Amino acid sequence: MRYVSKIPRGSLLFAPMEGITDEPYRMAIQEAFPEWQYLSTDFLRIPTQGEYSDKLVMDHFGQRTFLNTKVKNKTAYQILTTAHANTAPHIQRIEKLGFDHIDINLGCPSKKVNSNKGGAYLLGDLPSLKKVISDIRENFSGLFTAKIRVGFRDDNNFFDILKMLEDEGVEAITLHGRTRDQMYEGRANWSYIKQAVKAINIPLIGNGDCWNLFDVEKMFDETDCHGVMLGRGALKTPWLATLFEENKEKIYAVNEEYLLFERQNNLDYYFYLLERNYLKSGLDKEQLLRRFKAFSRYIFDDYPNGDVMRSKFLRSRTLEEFQENLNKIKVNPI
Ligand SMILES: Cc1cc2nc3c(=O)[nH]c(=O)nc-3n(C[C@H](O)[C@H](O)[C@H](O)COP(=O)(O)O)c2cc1C
């Protein structure tokens, strides 16, 4: 199976996140923490009328990524489309330009996207879902995967969705254990992941509320999933795949002091590589500061005084002030 040779069993995958995982961010992650086996663009919305240019389609993925075989091979091109969108010509364009992995976003809970009948809406409208999936499969010979939730309003279609995706030629599924209507409430229900693993014969990636190494191990153990995808947990600990690789045989021995020590070690390296990649992409310092603040949302959570630290970083008026704060942590962490 080509998915398995690209993303072996036991892999950790960095989730697509709109507003975060643009090209400079992905390049920095790959450079700093190459143990992530998979990265993804956030979604390109396929238009209902007209066609995007080759340049727009390429820019969404990123030229530097495209030219770097190692990064390109582990990066999926995510799209979001509807039954009435101009899907086929865009899929042909994506293939013609040389992309070899398309992932369809069937989990987006945004009101705007769903009222336009895209994202998680399709999980509640199986005839439209089938049309969308076959529009893509018929026009794309590369690897085709889907990222879903357990349903739109409820889980009534859950097994039908899984079966249909498999029958229509989807090669792997990532499942976030919530319905669309649950948005991000409560905790993701991993029992759906376990059931999905048993129900289909293609790789199933588990997703939802893995925040640390222990959660990752637990999700693998409880569900027998092929891989684990992390979104907010990856933003909190971007070096989590490295930690997992280094400790997977002895996670029971990992303690809080070690994890905090690793946070200290990795924080400024992470921000340094982000700075390098964003400045190369043309961002100025003010724009970069705004980005840095967005990347700080969860990253101080594990410090005993995390809230105070975060608000200090969020109050930084200049990039230099943000970086001074980083230096201070290095010397005097807590
Ligand atoms: C800020 C943000 C942006 C997101 N953007 C996307 C996206 O573009 N495509 C997508 O498939 N999922 C997107 N997601 C969903 C995540 O990929 C993931 O499925 C979800 O956050 C649950 O995983 P987690 O509990 O590990 O965060 C986004 C999530 C967040 C928090």
Side-chain angles (χ1 to χ4, degrees):
M1 269 198 268
R2 46 188 181 173
Y3 186 83
V4 180
S5 62
K6 182 170 167 165
I7 301 158
R9 205 174 161 77
S11 292
L12 297 198
L13 296 83
F14 203 109
M17 282 177 279
E18 194 187 11
I20 305 283
T21 50
D22 58 8
E23 181 183 46
Y25 187 87
R26 286 183 268 115
M27 289 303 275
I29 287 292
Q30 162 60 27
E31 211 175 325
F33 312 116
E35 290 77 11
W36 292 103
Q37 285 286 347
Y38 170 99
L39 302 161
S40 172
T41 70
D42 49 2
F43 62 84
L44 178 79
R45 196 182 55 78
I46 304 295
T48 304
Q49 277 163 5
E51 254 187 72
Y52 292 148
S53 65
D54 284 354
K55 179 172 179 340
L56 190 147
V57 173
M58 177 59 78
D59 286 351
H60 185 74
F61 189 83
Q63 273 281 358
R64 285 176 63 215
T65 310
F66 188 78
L67 295 173
N68 182 326
T69 310
K70 210 165 141 208
V71 194
K72 177 173 181 266
N73 283 345
K74 59 162 82 166
T75 308
Y77 200 120
Q78 191 181 66
I79 61 158
L80 185 142
T81 190
T82 67
H84 53 277
N86 207 4
T87 303
H90 285 95
I91 299 302
Q92 288 159 9
R93 188 168 289 230
I94 288 172
E95 173 145 347
K96 190 194 78 192
L97 285 170
F99 297 103
D100 54 14
H101 181 174
I102 289 180
D103 183 60
I104 180 170
N105 178 332
L106 296 170
C108 180
S110 132
K111 262 198 186 136
K112 192 166 161 218
V113 166
N114 294 166
S115 64
N116 195 35
K117 304 192 170 179
Y121 166 86
L122 287 166
L123 303 175
D125 177 354
L126 296 196
S128 294
L129 176 61
K130 188 166 179 174
K131 176 177 183 309
V132 164
I133 297 298
S134 64
D135 276 354
I136 299 171
R137 188 67 289 181
E138 281 165 18
N139 287 286
F140 188 63
S141 63
L143 187 58
F144 177 29
T145 58
K147 185 161 175 290
I148 68 173
R149 288 180 175 238
V150 302
F152 185 50
R153 299 259 104 99
D154 52 43
D155 63 0
N156 290 348
N157 292 332
F158 182 53
F159 291 104
D160 293 338
I161 294 164
L162 293 171
K163 186 91 188 69
M164 182 213 285
L165 293 176
E166 182 176 11
D167 288 348
E168 293 295 319
V170 166
E171 291 165 84
I173 296 173
T174 301
L175 173 62
H176 175 187
R178 287 185 175 90
T179 62
R180 179 270 175 199
D181 278 359
Q182 286 169 331
M183 305 298 273
Y184 282 88
E185 279 164 21
R187 274 191 80 83
N189 184 342
W190 294 355
S191 75
Y192 287 105
I193 296 169
K194 186 174 177 178
Q195 294 175 63
V197 169
K198 291 197 179 120
I200 53 175
N201 297 306
I202 51 176
L204 193 289
I205 307 300
N207 171 236
D209 287 302
C210 270
W211 287 96
N212 55 45
L213 277 184
F214 311 106
D215 290 342
V216 169
E217 190 188 38
K218 195 159 171 240
M219 186 183 272
F220 274 125
D221 280 357
E222 280 183 11
T223 70
D224 196 30
C225 59
H226 179 88
V228 170
M229 177 181 280
L230 296 97
R232 293 162 301 163
L235 260 187
K236 178 181 170 188
T237 310
W239 46 91
L240 201 137
T242 315
L243 281 181
F244 184 69
E245 198 49 45
E246 287 169 359
N247 295 286
K248 61 184 171 193
E249 306 305 335
K250 48 176 180 4
I251 287 183
Y252 59 88
V254 167
N255 60 34
E256 296 301 327
E257 288 73 37
Y258 165 76
L259 292 175
L260 216 48
F261 176 76
E262 287 295 314
R263 190 165 293 278
Q264 294 288 116
N265 279 340
N266 283 303
L267 256 186
D268 58 349
Y269 184 46
Y270 170 60
F271 279 106
Y272 163 71
L273 284 178
L274 286 171
E275 177 182 0
R276 245 190 33 194
N277 279 281
Y278 275 107
L279 292 182
K280 209 186 270 185
S281 80
L283 245 63
D284 63 30
K285 287 187 173 183
E286 224 169 278
Q287 292 166 318
L288 185 56
L289 176 65
R290 250 178 274 135
R291 284 314 184 98
F292 273 18
K293 290 183 180 179
F295 305 145
S296 303
R297 182 152 175 204
Y298 306 106
I299 213 156
F300 303 109
D301 284 4
D302 278 358
Y303 287 101
N305 56 348
D307 285 351
V308 178
M309 284 172 89
R310 181 173 28 258
S311 57
K312 201 164 170 192
F313 278 89
L314 294 183
R315 280 201 313 269
S316 306
R317 277 154 305 176
T318 60
L319 188 64
E320 287 74 16
E321 192 180 332
F322 189 99
Q323 286 162 329
E324 268 166 37
N325 284 328
L326 274 179
N327 284 336
K328 279 186 208 153
I329 298 192
K330 187 103 192 148
V331 182
N332 185 13
I334 305 159

